[in-house]
Amino acid sequence: MDLQIYFDILKRRFLVIVIVVATTVAVLALSSFFIPPIYRARATIRVLLDVGVTDFAFREDYSKRLLNTYTYILRSGPVLQEVIDLVLPGYGLTVGDLRENVEVQVVPDTELITIAVYNRDAVLARDLTNTLADLLVDHAQSLYVGSSKSTRQILEEQLAMMESEIEQDRQRLTILLSQQVSSDQIETLKNQIEFKEDSFNRVLSRYEFARLNESLRANSITIIEPANTPTIPANRLALRHVGLSLVIGLFGGIGLALVFENLDTRIHSIQQLEHLVRPPLPVKVLGAVPRGLLTGSDWTGGHRTLLDQAVVEAYRLLERSIWAEEGEGKRVKTILVTSAVANEGKSTVAANLAQTFAELGLTIFLVDADLRRPTIGKIFGLNAEIGLNDLLQSRQSITGEFLSQVIQPVDMPSLFVITNTAAIPSPTSLLSTPTMASLINSLKTQGQTTFLDAPPVLGRADVLILAQMVDDIILIVRQGRTRREHLLSAIKQLQSGRQRELGLVFVRKDGKEWEY
């Protein structure tokens, strides 16, 4: 039930949702025409992460720190200033301005770093991006070596010294062999030369490894994809932006629709009505009917001509619902039909109910008890010479002869109507006279059911007086017009006296337009 209520709200406020969505998309579209284009140039570089790192446990942490280091360097002041000096000397671009337009990102689970620069000039965005990438490559060597000697240079110096010593020892050995000295001296010198040659070979191996490592480090950063001149603005309206604006507009429209619904206290559906009057309120929803009107012209030879089948069937269901409330074998004698405020369709419902009951062959009386705004005579096209207002003002006793002058038959068999000849501004005192109570009692003895078209409840005491004289009350709720606070106030007033059956009839918008 609650889901149905929300569905009805969205259906009813569909136009609000559409307007909000359309406005959101329109604002986004218009903004794209006024915002100047900004181009985005992007380059991709690769960083060889595991150069010289043999400890696998340390390698992962080292890789993260290394990538973060390069990211920081690319956005550092000295590097950005060098880019400005190379690309835009004297242009007036500051490091802060450039930093705001530089985007450096590490591609997850890779050795790649992307460098992007935003600028209104596509060519300038490309040049700034490529210059940043080139500077990082140029700085790679200095980042590892610094100002001190590298391992390769130190080993290279050691190899030169060792090679010189070995050469000197070889020359001495040649001299000793030519002088025919003792074999012990010669053997000692040979062992010394062999030891130095072995040490030289070990240092040479270390030197080759250091040279290779230094070469790899010097080339550990390579440009995989240089920046090209962008042709499409980065802030161009894309499909994803339209989709996002649709989603934002949809949620905004739904939210605004719920706000409007919360501020709107009118009752728009029978589900709302049933939810509003659920227990402990002693009120039942008898049914829902369209706003169509069935008059005597719908009858031909005592049988209904079904001009509007939906209206007919709705009132037949309502009639069954009223009898079901009364129980088997019981016939309600007097039913008062009213509404919380004016123009909610009470007179139309009273006329249609009277016709529907009369179709069963029952003797039905329909009394226009709304002396302030008599309507029943207009519905049936009757012009009475003597009406209820004349009867009450005369304060005569109710006799059969006098009553026959007030009651008017219509084209429909077994349906009799009492109308008014004129509106009375203040009829409260007339309705409270014994004449009105005597009239109702007299009609009870002559017919099965009497319907009273009563004035609205709020702002008048008329209906409260009449409510003491009837058996049941039907309160009309008009879709899109009756307000919750008015309905609850009317129910409270009608229940303030003695207990009686109070049922609600929901009048839908579909059908013919009647304002009675």
Side-chain angles (χ1 to χ4, degrees), residues 102 107 115 192 198 221 231 233-234 300 332 355 376 403 484:
V102 172
V107 181
I115 305 172
Q192 184 177 346
D198 184 62
I221 299 179
T231 57
T300 303
V332 175
Q355 294 177 86
I376 297 299
L403 192 59
R484 294 192 296 265

Side-chain angles (χ1 to χ4, degrees), residues 73-135:
I73 290 173
L74 285 168
R75 292 176 55 85
S76 63
V79 172
L80 295 179
Q81 184 60 55
E82 189 172 355
V83 170
I84 294 173
D85 294 339
L86 291 173
V87 180
L88 296 172
Y91 185 76
L93 182 66
T94 65
V95 172
D97 294 337
L98 181 57
R99 182 180 287 118
E100 290 179 358
N101 295 305
V102 172
E103 181 183 85
V104 182
Q105 291 183 341
V106 176
V107 181
D109 301 323
T110 67
E111 298 178 339
L112 303 178
I113 296 177
T114 60
I115 305 172
V117 177
Y118 294 86
N119 199 279
R120 295 183 182 180
D121 189 332
V123 176
L124 185 59
R126 179 203 63 191
D127 294 343
L128 290 172
T129 304
N130 287 331
T131 303
L132 264 176
D134 292 338
L135 283 178

Side-chain angles (χ1 to χ4, degrees), residues 342-343 346-347 368 370-376 378 423-424 453 515-516:
N343 298 328
K346 62 178 182 60
S347 300
D368 192 346
D370 190 350
L371 301 181
R372 299 174 187 268
R373 191 184 180 191
T375 303
I376 297 299
K378 298 178 183 179
I424 300 178
D453 177 24
E515 297 293 334
Y516 301 121

Side-chain angles (χ1 to χ4, degrees), residues 203-256:
V203 174
L204 181 61
S205 298
R206 291 177 59 192
Y207 169 78
E208 292 295 335
F209 178 79
R211 185 178 62 82
L212 178 62
N213 191 25
E214 185 175 322
S215 177
L216 290 174
R217 285 181 181 272
N219 297 279
S220 61
I221 299 179
T222 56
I223 300 176
I224 301 298
E225 182 182 3
N228 297 318
T229 305
T231 57
I232 301 175
N235 58 347
R236 187 190 66 166
L237 185 63
L239 185 60
R240 67 177 183 275
H241 299 135
V242 176
L244 182 61
S245 66
L246 286 174
V247 172
I248 295 174
L250 180 61
F251 281 100
I254 292 175
L256 188 60

Side-chain angles (χ1 to χ4, degrees), residues 135-181:
L135 283 178
L136 188 60
V137 173
D138 294 342
H139 282 63
Q141 181 65 41
S142 61
L143 291 174
Y144 285 106
V145 178
S147 59
S148 60
K149 292 182 179 181
S150 66
T151 303
R152 178 190 61 79
Q153 292 173 332
I154 294 173
L155 292 175
E156 188 175 10
E157 292 177 357
Q158 290 181 356
L159 287 174
M161 293 175 59
M162 294 175 68
E163 187 177 13
S164 176
E165 292 178 358
I166 293 172
E167 182 62 27
Q168 292 177 4
D169 289 341
R170 286 175 179 172
Q171 291 177 0
R172 288 176 56 196
L173 178 61
T174 302
I175 294 173
L176 291 176
L177 289 174
S178 64
Q179 295 177 354
Q180 297 182 351
V181 297

